[in-house]
Amino acid sequence: DAGVIQSPRHEVTEMGQEVTLRCKPISGHDYLFWYRQTMMRGLELLIYFNNNVPIDDSGMPEDRFSAKMPNASFSTLKIQPSEPRDSAVYFCASSRDRGLGGYTFGSGTRLTVV
Amino acid sequence: QKEVEQDPGPLSVPEGAIVSLNCTYSNSAFQYFMWYRQYSRKGPELLMYTYSSGNKEDGRFTAQVDKSSKYISLFIRDSQPSDSATYLCAMQAAGNKLTFGGGTRVLVKP
């Protein structure tokens, strides 16, 4: 089991550019979560999916953020246009059984918008 | 007021000491309680998982939940420099998403 795989590990982009973060959940996990972590705000849930369907996107900061899960093994988080305040570490996590027993996190994508 | 409160630390202890971490919460619907460990530049990893009130022990780690006081604790015995990390508590009401504390940074000095 390779765990939750995220790419890229690091991303540096200029303000106004489009950024796409990718995630491959653990096979068999039917829940997928996108989190953002900053020193000031800690871990924030952005959106989560169940069986590829978005369930709660109330944490998505604004319309510049969008997430998709076209199939059970792949999800993207897109920021367009990016802004310096989007700089953070973005984590993807997956689970089964509604997350009872905890989530498995990926190693994260460190995003820097200059 | 946040749903889950956790002292950010840092908490510095000498090797071999007991590390004591805790979180308080306000949502009485929380039933599942977890502790995650996060090393620098890594994702959080699940360390301990407990359901409802009581204690759970796993090696050097003991998790305690006191639902009446809305208070959870994690104890690390015989702490090692490799225990240096950020520890996050997390809680969940049945069928709902996890709510995380802000994390406590722990430094175990050799």
Side-chain angles (χ1 to χ4, degrees):
Chain A
D1 185 355
V4 176
I5 299 173
Q6 290 187 248
S7 64
R9 287 299 309 274
H10 304 275
E11 177 80 37
V12 180
T13 190
E14 290 185 348
M15 182 173 63
Q17 296 298 306
E18 177 180 294
V19 175
T20 299
L21 311 180
R22 298 172 177 80
C23 175
K24 177 180 169 55
I26 291 174
S27 177
H29 282 191
D30 54 353
Y31 282 82
L32 183 138
F33 307 84
W34 281 102
Y35 281 86
R36 177 171 68 177
Q37 187 175 43
T38 60
M39 288 291 290
M40 290 295 294
R41 301 168 73 100
L43 267 173
E44 300 176 277
L45 177 64
L46 301 177
I47 185 171
Y48 78 93
F49 296 82
N50 176 221
N51 290 322
N52 315 335
V53 176
I55 302 300
D56 184 351
D57 66 354
S58 60
M60 297 285 260
E62 46 199 277
D63 292 345
R64 297 186 297 107
F65 286 69
S66 62
K68 293 182 180 180
M69 192 165 185
N71 57 62
S73 58
F74 184 67
S75 177
T76 60
L77 178 68
K78 187 176 293 186
I79 308 172
Q80 165 65 16
S82 58
E83 296 182 4
R85 60 192 168 122
D86 301 330
S87 297
V89 181
Y90 291 80
F91 288 104
C92 175
S94 70
S95 75
R96 52 186 172 197
D97 298 332
R98 294 172 295 154
L100 301 179
Y103 304 167
T104 302
F105 283 80
S107 295
T109 295
R110 183 173 294 274
L111 173 65
T112 303
V113 183
V114 298
Chain B
Q1 185 185 2
K2 295 181 181 178
E3 262 190 309
V4 179
E5 297 281 357
Q6 186 175 8
D7 189 322
L11 179 63
S12 183
V13 300
E15 183 176 355
I18 295 175
V19 176
S20 175
L21 304 167
N22 58 74
C23 289
T24 58
Y25 63 95
S26 57
N27 187 348
S28 58
F30 288 143
Q31 295 179 302
Y32 303 90
F33 304 90
M34 284 147 263
W35 287 94
Y36 283 79
R37 178 175 62 195
Q38 186 176 20
Y39 291 116
S40 179
R41 297 186 179 271
K42 298 287 187 182
E45 57 177 328
L46 183 64
L47 199 59
M48 296 285 283
Y49 171 87
T50 53
Y51 170 69
S52 196
S53 287
N55 294 357
K56 183 174 183 178
E57 191 172 316
D58 184 2
R60 296 184 297 113
F61 298 89
T62 299
Q64 291 184 348
V65 175
D66 182 350
K67 290 190 71 179
S68 62
S69 301
K70 295 189 178 65
Y71 186 90
I72 71 169
S73 302
L74 177 70
F75 300 97
I76 308 174
R77 291 183 300 280
D78 187 26
S79 57
Q80 305 294 311
S82 58
D83 295 325
S84 298
T86 296
Y87 291 80
L88 301 109
C89 61
M91 308 178 187
Q92 185 179 29
N96 287 330
K97 57 196 177 187
L98 284 183
T99 300
F100 283 88
T104 300
R105 186 173 161 222
V106 172
L107 179 61
V108 181
K109 295 184 175 180

